Each structure stands twice: as structure tokens, then as C-alpha cells.
Amino acid sequence: MAENDKIIDEVTTNDYKYGFVTNIEQEFALKGLTEDTVRFISAKKNEPEWLLDWRLKAFSTWLKMEQPQWQNVHFPKIDFQSIIYYAAQKKKKKIESLDDVDPEIRATYDKLGIPIQEQKILAGVAVDYVMDSESVITTFRESLKEKGIVFCSISEAVKEYPGLVQQYLGTVVPARDNYYSALNSAVFSDGSFVYIPKGVRCPMELSTYFRINAENTGQFERTLIIADEGSYVSYLEGCTAPMRDENQLHAAVVELITHDNAEIKYSTVQNWYPGNKEGIGGIYNFVTKRGLCKGANSKISWTQVETGSAITWKYPSCILKGDNSIGEFYSVAVTNNYQQADTGTKMIHIGKNTRSRIVSKGISAGKSNNSYRGLVQIHKTADNAYNSSQCDSLLIGDKCGAHTFPYLEIKNKSGKVEHEATTSKIGEDLLFYCNQRGLSNEEAVSMIINGYCKEVFKQLPMEFAVEAQKLLSISLEGSVG
Amino acid sequence: MLSIKNLNVAINGKQILKDFNLEIKAGEVHAIMGPNGTGKSTLASTLAGRAEYEILSGEVTFKGKNLLEWSPDERAREGVFLAFQYPVEIPGVSVTNFMKAAVNAKRKHYGLDPIEAKDFLKLMKEKMDLVEIKKEMTSRSLNEGFSGGEKKRNEIFQMAMLDPTLCILDETDSGLDIDALRIVANGVNKLKNKDRGFLIITHYQRLLNYIVPDVVHVMFGGRIVKSGGKELALKLEEQGYDWIKEENSELINQ
């Protein structure tokens, strides 16, 4: 047994390779949050009056709210006055082409393996690069525009497509929804905006790469994706941050809207800095993600691979309003060392014949804690609704925890709900069997985990699935073997 | 090829193998029989390097080197194969992918590049025929939902794929019906060659009707108390173990 403990101890150490800092000259908002901060951010972005008002309203809502405490994660109360709410590059010449991007920033993205260029590695994927509070550049913008697709930063969208933004912003996640959505609505700085017009199938993957760079700052991005009738888009976000001893807050809001017969596939590979082996530092990832299947026969599918962050706390959800609409949630959440995760989904069935599917795979290693929390709600109006949930937990070692909190609220008798949950362990028998076939402990764990997550990985676009597999191996490096 | 000298092994503080000795030469098939709890599976697990088995004293040389110094995966890559009595399931990992990883781990060990897809498929096909495995089975998750017979066939299939020097079969015959037994035995017989040694652990003589051993050993109380030719197995089948017990009462009661 002592041998096994040793093995497990060895594998629960990890290296975070994205922990560097970029040296660029940045300007900041003053530390702390007051109405002036909100006005400062809005002014920096030359926003129209209506948006400033919207922010201020959200701010006053936030002031009346309390930090929530119900989640199964533990951290000291956040001092919102010690955070900087805006950090952007001090410059600046106007960026008109990829060549205008600051070499330091360019080097950063090169190092992260996602070079700012339209030809090489990410050919076929349009990327919006967001660092701290602003979008650096969005590739393929022009060629997408030819098809009527809008893909740009939300700040630009506010200027260029104010009608669309005003029509949809906050309709799926209202500011008052929760403490962090109110905060985000007041101080959000940048993020991505996507509009796919009627009948258009987006010809490439759209992607946003979020990077936190500045110290003591929070990142509050806002993403809004609208798929008009009969359209389709697949969107992916990735995230990393430098290694620092203090915790940094990331409180984003993502809203998705699908009209009749439209489909949005939203994939996340989240790799924020998780803190060190002793649990010092790391990102608090408190995100509100929600999709509204507004139209009939529409579909929203969330896929997430969560390997980073000191604390992950989010529930990408679907409101199935349109008849025959479909919601899906595929999740792999990995926690190692002292990481904590409380994640899952909400499937709200309102329309008739709505269907939802939940596949959640939690992996806990080290001294971490991993919870699945999910709500399936079938309203009176939702005749013949159907949900199937599968929640699996995998434990590596005996110092970690896995928890499942499923909630069911069914108000329509024709509804059908299936729930399946399993907990398993990478035990000595399994490892020994793999060893006996010549595989090292590292190779064995990596293979077992990839097999365990297969159902989720196959939902990801091919090249990201490969990335996700690698990321998983790195996150669990040293947790066995 | 394999030489075990005065091996003493304990698990959870209880000694199981006692001054155990065994020599297997390349090309030989050795069968070990004996009642439950005499240390047959302990022997198999110890040779494969299972951590909870504590080596108190003794030595094991394999191909002239000290086997006990190697980790379980090194032993496997060096050519020790154990067909498990209870093979584990690995959800989401197909037999094909599992085998590819194992074959490549061994190739890496010998400084070779990963196997070409074409060559791998050819190898798979060839070895599948050996144990009458259908292609459909190789895309299923390893051992998940396999019947007892399928699991054991899969073990022999893996053995064939990995081309080991020493093959240890730990009660591979238990729980098999006569058809599965015949298929498994046929597979083993086809794998016999002059460089390879077999250590077949079994309760019953019937497997030895199909795989004819060069030497049969009887284990009792953690050591081999009698060795002989294949006729020894037949005698055990007819007369049970009592006569062995009586013959060796002094040794067993030590």
C-alpha cells in the first residue's frame, strides 16, 4: 500500500507551462469598485448612453446583493475593493492588420501555441484574442463578413451593431440573475460577439482565446452569440493566465441565443492557472453561461473541458423554450492538488418535446474536491420532455473528494427523466494490469482517463480534442506514477 | 531462461512462498498444480512484480539478469507476460488502442519507432486468427461486457501480440467451457517455440490434455514438493492430493 501512496503522490504534482508574464505598457483603472469605476470603463470604451445606464443599473443591483455561500467550494470572502477592473495596453496606434499587433503580444500568443496569423496552425479557425480587458485582434473578420457573419469584439459590436447588441444583451442572463452576473454587467470590458444570419452555416470554427496578464486585475468578459433562423456555428474558447501567488477573479457572462432550426455548439477548454501544489494562487473562475433555445427545433450544445483554475464554479445551462429544442451538456472537470470545482448544468424544459442530455465526467486527484451539481426542470408546458443524465466521478488516490448534487423538478407528468451516476477509482489492479502490458504509470493513467472522457472528447472539434487530451495528461502529471 | 532460487515471499506479513526453487529453460512448458492456497498465484504475481508481495529473500534471474530489480512495466517490456486470472475492464479504451500503446511501449524500450498503422493492423489480424477473435471485439472497450471466455481469449491474444519470452498463465482455464478451453489451448500451442518458456498454473488436469507440459510440478505449502512428467498430472486427477500430502508431511508441516 505504501508503494501505491508513493506513486499517487508523485503523479499529483504538475507543471503549468503558461505561467509567464508579458511585459507591455498597460493602463489601469484605479483599484476598487465605485460608480466612478463603472463610468471610467464606459468612457474608456466611448460607449453610448444606453450602455452606461445599463451598467449603472447593474452596479446598483450588485450593491444590494450578497456574495453567495451555498456552493461546495471554500475560499476567503473576496475583497472587491482590492481588484483592478480595467487593464489595457497603453498605446496605441490603431490596429488595422495583423502586422500592427505589438510584437510582445504577438510573442505571447506564439508562446501559447496560438500564433496571431491566419495561415498557419489555426488555418480554418477564426480567433478573437482577448488580453485582460480588451480584444487584441480578431482574425478572418473580413472573409466572414462576406457571408454576413459578424465576429468581432463586443466593444466593436457596441459601436458597429448597436441594434443587435441592445436587442439581445442581458436577455438570457439578466444582470440581477446572480451576484457575479450583476458584477460582470457593471464592469465587463471585452469579449466576443457573434451573429450568424439566417440560413448560414458558419464555414469555420470561431474561437476566442482569453488571457489574463496584468497583476491584481480581474477579467470580466462578456460573450454574446446569436444564431438566426436555420444557421449553425461552432465556437470554442480557451484560457490561460500567469502564475501568481494571489488569487485572481475571472467572472464572465456568456449568452447564447438560437432561433428556429438554428444550432450553436459551444466548446470550452479552460486552463486558467490552478495555483501551486500547496494551493497558493490561481484563478477563481466564476462564470455564468446560459443558452436560450428560443426557436422551435433549435439546439444548443455545451462541451467543456475544465482543467485549470483554483476554483471553478459554473453551470452552462440551456433554456429549452422552443418546441422540439435540444440542450446538451458534455463536461470533463479535472481537479488536482488543492483545486476545487463545483460545476454542472441546468436544463430548463419549457417547450413541448424538448430533449436534453447531460454527460458529466469528474476527475479528482491530489487533495482536490470536485462536485457535479445539476438541475433538470420540466415545466407544466413541456409535454413529452425527456432528459438523460449521466454523472461519473473518477478518483485518483484517497485524499480527494467527489460529490454529486442532482436536482429534479418535474411539473409535467409526461416528462421522462433518466439519471445514472457512477464513482470509480483508478485502483492498483487497473494500474498493475496496464503495467503488466509494459505501460508506465503515466501512460496507464493517461490512457485510462482518456478512455473515461471519450464520450465528451468526441464532441470537441478534432484538433481541440487532441489538445484537450494532452492538457489532461499534463494536469494530472505526477498524480500517479 | 528463468531461474528461481530459495525465494521467500510474504503478503501482509504472512509468508506464502517458502524456499521456492524452479528452473525453466527456453522452449519448455512447465505446469504447476496444487490445491487452493498453496501459493500458485502468489508465484505468478511475484514474477510480474505486484507491489504488495514482499520479497523476504532469494533470487530470480531472467535471461541472466536480476528480475527483481525491475519495475512491473520493465519486466513486461523485457518479455514477461502474465495472463490474468481476472482481467480488468478499461472503459472507453478499445482493445486496439490498448494493444497499440502496449506494442509501442515495448518498441520504445528497444529503441524502435512506433509501429506503422499498416503493420499494426496486419499484426492484429494475424494474432486475432490465432485465438479466433472477431474484428468486432477489438473495437470494444477492453474487457467491458466480455464473457469469461472472451476475456481469457483476449489475454492469449495480447500474449500473442506482445511476443513475450516468458508466458505465465494464471488459471487461464478456470471458468472456461470446453470450446473456449480448446481455443485458448490451441492459441498457446501455436505460440510455443524454442525461445519461449511457459509457466502454466492450473487446478485441473484437463487443460494439460490440450497443452502438453514438459514438466509438471505439484505445489504444497509454498513450495514444490514433487515434479514429474505429464503422467503426474493424470495421477493427481485420479487420486487427488492426499498421497502427496502424506509423502511430504514432514516438509509441509515445517
Side-chain angles (χ1 to χ4, degrees), chain A residues 394-415:
Chain A
L394 184 69
L395 301 168
I396 303 176
D398 51 14
K399 296 187 185 79
C400 53
H403 316 267
T404 306
F405 305 97
Y407 303 87
L408 297 173
E409 290 171 21
I410 296 159
K411 292 178 187 134
N412 183 314
K413 282 188 182 150
S414 64

Side-chain angles (χ1 to χ4, degrees), chain A residues 92-150:
Chain A
K92 34 194 167 168
K93 62 173 180 189
K94 198 167 158 30
I95 294 178
E96 273 166 354
S97 80
L98 300 182
D99 300 332
D100 298 332
V101 175
D102 185 299
E104 280 289 330
I105 294 180
R106 185 179 278 276
T108 300
Y109 285 102
D110 280 348
K111 221 162 150 185
L112 294 171
I114 36 157
I116 302 184
Q117 31 190 267
E118 292 190 346
Q119 301 84 9
K120 291 208 177 145
I121 296 168
L122 288 169
V125 181
V127 186
D128 183 14
Y129 296 85
V130 177
M131 190 185 278
D132 295 324
S133 305
E134 65 172 353
S135 166
V136 179
I137 193 160
T138 308
T139 58
F140 288 105
R141 227 186 119 165
E142 292 310 311
S143 51
L144 289 168
K145 214 171 170 179
E146 285 165 20
K147 286 189 174 284
I149 296 168
V150 180

Side-chain angles (χ1 to χ4, degrees), chain A residues 357-374:
Chain A
R357 176 166 165 76
I358 298 169
V359 177
S360 161
K361 304 273 181 178
I363 301 166
S364 331
K367 294 174 177 137
S368 68
N369 244 312
N370 204 325
S371 302
Y372 166 81
R373 189 184 302 274

Side-chain angles (χ1 to χ4, degrees), chain A residues 4-29:
Chain A
N4 200 32
D5 287 349
K6 202 181 93 205
I7 290 169
I8 284 162
D9 275 356
E10 278 168 18
V11 188
T12 12
T13 51
N14 67 24
D15 282 329
Y16 186 76
K17 33 175 215 179
Y18 310 103
F20 59 92
V21 179
T22 310
N23 289 312
I24 43 165
E25 223 186 323
Q26 287 187 304
E27 59 176 347
F28 301 93

Side-chain angles (χ1 to χ4, degrees), chain B residues 11-73:
Chain B
I11 181 162
N12 298 327
K14 189 183 175 222
Q15 188 170 351
I16 307 289
L17 294 186
K18 294 169 185 165
D19 289 326
F20 187 94
N21 290 287
L22 178 67
E23 291 279 338
I24 298 180
K25 293 196 180 72
E28 288 182 348
V29 177
H30 288 237
I32 292 197
M33 301 183 71
N36 275 328
T38 51
K40 299 189 301 293
S41 286
T42 296
L43 174 65
S45 297
T46 303
L47 292 175
R50 218 178 159 125
E52 62 254 46
Y53 291 88
E54 190 195 348
I55 315 280
L56 303 172
S57 64
E59 53 185 80
V60 180
T61 51
F62 174 62
K63 300 191 294 188
K65 290 178 200 142
N66 181 1
L67 181 77
L68 302 178
E69 271 183 359
W70 293 332
S71 65
D73 45 316

Side-chain angles (χ1 to χ4, degrees), chain A residues 303-305 307 330-334 359-363 392 394 445-460 465 468-469 472 476, chain B residues 91-93:
Chain A
T303 304
Q304 60 172 17
V305 177
T307 61
Y330 297 95
S331 170
V332 168
V334 184
V359 177
S360 161
K361 304 273 181 178
I363 301 166
D392 298 329
L394 184 69
V445 169
S446 165
M447 175 153 68
I448 293 163
I449 302 263
N450 281 321
Y452 171 76
C453 300
K454 196 175 166 193
E455 228 182 317
V456 175
F457 284 166
K458 73 178 185 209
Q459 299 296 327
L460 290 171
Q469 280 188 21
L472 221 58
L476 290 168
Chain B
V93 177

Side-chain angles (χ1 to χ4, degrees), chain A residues 429 433 435-438 454, chain B residues 50 76-77 80 82 155 158:
Chain A
D429 283 354
Y433 187 88
N435 288 158
Q436 217 303 307
R437 298 303 182 247
K454 196 175 166 193
Chain B
R50 218 178 159 125
R77 294 191 295 263
V80 175
L82 171 63
E155 292 293 290
Q158 293 182 37

